[in-house]
Amino acid sequence: MTVEELSAFLDATFPAETRPSLGEIVGIAPGSVRMSLQPTANMLRPGGIVSGPTLMALVDVAAYAAIAAHHGPEPMAVTNALSITFLRACKVEPIMADAHILKLGRRLATIDVRIWQGAEDRLIAQSTVGYALP
Amino acid sequence: MTVEELSAFLDATFPAETRPSLGEIVGIAPGSVRMSLQPTANMLRPGGIVSGPTLMALVDVAAYAAIAAHHGPEPMAVTNALSITFLRACKVEPIMADAHILKLGRRLATIDVRIWQGAEDRLIAQSTVGYALP
Amino acid sequence: MTVEELSAFLDATFPAETRPSLGEIVGIAPGSVRMSLQPTANMLRPGGIVSGPTLMALVDVAAYAAIAAHHGPEPMAVTNALSITFLRACKVEPIMADAHILKLGRRLATIDVRIWQGAEDRLIAQSTVGYALP
Amino acid sequence: MTVEELSAFLDATFPAETRPSLGEIVGIAPGSVRMSLQPTANMLRPGGIVSGPTLMALVDVAAYAAIAAHHGPEPMAVTNALSITFLRACKVEPIMADAHILKLGRRLATIDVRIWQGAEDRLIAQSTVGYALP
């Protein structure tokens, strides 16, 4: 899939109202997908930082996009489990999410997603996501 | 804190735009808080079920509310880690979230949050959330 | 299954050398199993407390026992994912593990395991374990 | 720290009886530590594969070693939370564990640990470990 095809798949899959809060595809590589999100005021929490749920939604969609790009556009893949560790406060600056497939099995896919700002090793959060494949 | 006080704290803490998607306080008991959420169209994902990010946001706010109710209204508590397992598809029906404090330490609080529909033992998701206290 | 039958299943399943470090079945109830473990010197870590790996092994076997007691003695059930939060130091005193089945599906079982000492609400650790059923 | 110094620290820290089951340090690099473990009969579970608790113990010690190598030999660092996903059956062959520090804060360290066999991208398990620093 190309970036355009994957973007179109996400556009068709999520409600138009929520789609903008889920970020944009910026790159696809073997086993991985990169997304970016520009935070807006409704994503903030006390302290003027980006909220955890905003980042969890980005993690979830990035994992979903990685499966779509490598397994095929499968709208019915559902999150089975997700664990996330928050490492630094997320500023109101562009947010990057790199999703790497750790294992693509027949029934389960496991994806590592790293959220960063400014530089790839300045991690904001790390998450491991399991998706059940239909 | 009363249900009204805790609701007012959440209203004051989250952006007005996102507040409705975070549910309502319906009860406070020693060590726990119960919330409910009526899903809306923008919370759906393919299959016509409520999305994982909607449930993760509800889990996060329920844990936050449990800390506020038992530790005091502390807007600066931040999620440190969250792990969630999705157990059943979440239907477009009222969603309940029960947050129980497992340990309220000086620097870290750990909360068990269970999402259910219809009956307390018909679990939709179970989550364990760690919050860092300032 | 009775406590004796479940104990015999565990004895037959694990190597004789490691079996003692995995605790004893002390009770079976609908949806749950209770185990206990008396810690020994080789289970300690710096600080004179019981090590994390000792508790993780106990969590894993308690979840396995809960599946055996409720789904049938299935030696080939394998751990798919485990997340654990350590809440208090574990003393050199009897350790209790309560495993409750959250969902027993066709292909996946999810079990909540709580480790405690002294009183049921004095939690040492909480864990959520996913097992793949063959 | 050198491989020899880090090995000596682990030897001094863990009970002599359990030390051999925790593997050997094979390399130290900026931000990471590599360990290896040769499985033995008492580490097996039904199916003739290496047990989950064996791998969780290896993950835990590899994270501990990574902290010791980069923060200093701190015996009192304690595991705060650990989440692990098992990706493939672990064969009775040498097991490698690569621990990378994601964030070394003042009070908390977060470490990504990957268990593999045969090739770095043939992952057996991925784990994220949080350690509380004293």
Side-chain angles (χ1 to χ4, degrees):
Chain A
M1 289 181 102
T2 64
V3 167
E4 289 68 33
E5 288 165 341
L6 186 53
S7 299
F9 169 68
L10 295 185
D11 292 348
T13 300
F14 293 100
E17 235 180 302
T18 51
R19 179 70 192 82
S21 66
L22 297 174
E24 293 300 326
I25 304 288
V26 292
I28 304 176
S32 73
V33 160
R34 173 168 289 180
M35 296 188 71
S36 72
L37 175 67
Q38 178 60 52
T40 56
N42 63 329
M43 297 176 186
L44 302 187
R45 49 148 287 147
I49 59 178
V50 177
S51 75
T54 300
L55 300 181
M56 293 191 281
L58 179 59
V59 160
D60 194 57
V61 74
Y64 188 78
I67 294 170
H70 294 89
H71 177 71
E74 175 47 81
M76 296 309 293
V78 292
T79 315
N80 173 55
L82 182 150
S83 91
I84 186 167
T85 305
F86 296 94
L87 301 165
R88 288 180 179 84
C90 185
K91 298 187 249 183
V92 186
E93 291 174 10
I95 306 169
M96 307 301 293
D98 288 349
H100 285 87
I101 295 176
L102 298 178
K103 171 88 187 289
L104 186 56
R106 271 184 317 118
R107 308 196 309 195
L108 281 174
T110 304
I111 302 100
D112 169 85
V113 185
R114 295 175 182 218
I115 303 279
W116 54 273
Q117 287 187 309
E120 283 190 35
D121 63 351
R122 208 182 149 278
L123 292 177
I124 304 302
Q126 184 276 334
S127 180
T128 305
V129 189
Y131 259 86
L133 305 177
Chain B
M1 289 180 103
T2 64
V3 167
E4 290 68 32
E5 288 166 341
L6 186 53
S7 298
F9 168 67
L10 296 186
D11 292 348
T13 300
F14 293 99
E17 235 180 304
T18 52
R19 180 69 194 82
S21 66
L22 297 175
E24 292 300 326
I25 305 288
V26 293
I28 303 176
S32 73
V33 160
R34 173 169 289 180
M35 296 188 72
S36 72
L37 175 67
Q38 179 59 50
T40 55
N42 63 329
M43 297 175 186
L44 302 187
R45 48 148 287 148
I49 59 178
V50 177
S51 75
T54 298
L55 300 181
M56 292 190 282
L58 178 59
V59 160
D60 193 57
V61 75
Y64 189 79
I67 294 171
H70 295 89
H71 178 71
E74 175 46 80
M76 295 309 293
V78 291
T79 316
N80 172 55
L82 182 151
S83 91
I84 185 167
T85 306
F86 296 94
L87 301 165
R88 286 180 180 85
C90 185
K91 299 187 249 182
V92 185
E93 292 174 10
I95 306 169
M96 307 300 293
D98 289 349
H100 284 88
I101 295 176
L102 298 178
K103 170 90 187 289
L104 186 54
R106 271 185 317 117
R107 308 196 308 196
L108 280 175
T110 304
I111 302 102
D112 169 85
V113 184
R114 293 173 184 220
I115 304 279
W116 54 273
Q117 287 187 308
E120 282 190 37
D121 63 352
R122 208 182 149 278
L123 293 176
I124 304 302
Q126 185 275 335
S127 181
T128 305
V129 188
Y131 259 86
L133 305 176
Chain C
M1 288 181 101
T2 64
V3 168
E4 289 69 31
E5 288 165 343
L6 186 53
S7 298
F9 169 67
L10 296 186
D11 293 348
T13 300
F14 293 99
E17 237 180 301
T18 52
R19 179 68 193 83
S21 66
L22 297 175
E24 294 299 326
I25 304 289
V26 292
I28 303 176
S32 74
V33 160
R34 174 169 288 180
M35 295 188 71
S36 72
L37 175 67
Q38 178 60 51
T40 55
N42 62 329
M43 296 175 188
L44 302 187
R45 52 147 285 148
I49 59 179
V50 177
S51 75
T54 299
L55 300 181
M56 292 191 280
L58 178 60
V59 160
D60 192 59
V61 75
Y64 188 79
I67 294 170
H70 296 88
H71 178 71
E74 176 46 79
M76 296 309 293
V78 291
T79 315
N80 173 54
L82 183 150
S83 90
I84 186 166
T85 306
F86 296 94
L87 301 165
R88 287 180 179 85
C90 185
K91 298 189 249 182
V92 185
E93 291 174 10
I95 306 169
M96 305 303 292
D98 288 350
H100 286 87
I101 295 176
L102 299 178
K103 171 88 186 294
L104 186 55
R106 272 185 317 118
R107 307 196 311 195
L108 280 175
T110 304
I111 301 102
D112 169 85
V113 184
R114 294 175 182 220
I115 303 279
W116 53 273
Q117 287 188 307
E120 281 189 35
D121 63 353
R122 208 183 149 278
L123 292 177
I124 304 302
Q126 185 275 335
S127 180
T128 305
V129 189
Y131 259 87
L133 304 176
Chain D
M1 287 181 103
T2 63
V3 168
E4 289 68 33
E5 287 165 342
L6 185 53
S7 298
F9 169 68
L10 295 186
D11 292 348
T13 300
F14 293 100
E17 236 180 302
T18 51
R19 180 68 194 82
S21 66
L22 298 175
E24 294 299 326
I25 305 288
V26 293
I28 304 176
S32 73
V33 159
R34 173 168 288 179
M35 296 188 69
S36 71
L37 174 67
Q38 179 60 52
T40 55
N42 62 328
M43 296 174 186
L44 301 187
R45 50 147 286 147
I49 59 178
V50 177
S51 75
T54 299
L55 299 182
M56 292 191 281
L58 178 60
V59 161
D60 193 58
V61 74
Y64 188 79
I67 294 170
H70 296 89
H71 178 71
E74 175 47 80
M76 296 309 293
V78 291
T79 315
N80 173 55
L82 182 150
S83 91
I84 185 167
T85 306
F86 296 93
L87 302 165
R88 287 181 179 84
C90 185
K91 298 188 249 182
V92 186
E93 291 173 10
I95 305 169
M96 306 302 292
D98 288 349
H100 285 87
I101 295 176
L102 297 178
K103 170 89 186 290
L104 185 56
R106 271 185 317 116
R107 306 195 311 195
L108 281 174
T110 304
I111 302 101
D112 169 84
V113 185
R114 295 176 181 216
I115 303 280
W116 53 273
Q117 288 188 306
E120 282 190 37
D121 63 353
R122 210 183 148 277
L123 292 177
I124 304 302
Q126 185 275 334
S127 180
T128 305
V129 189
Y131 259 87
L133 304 176

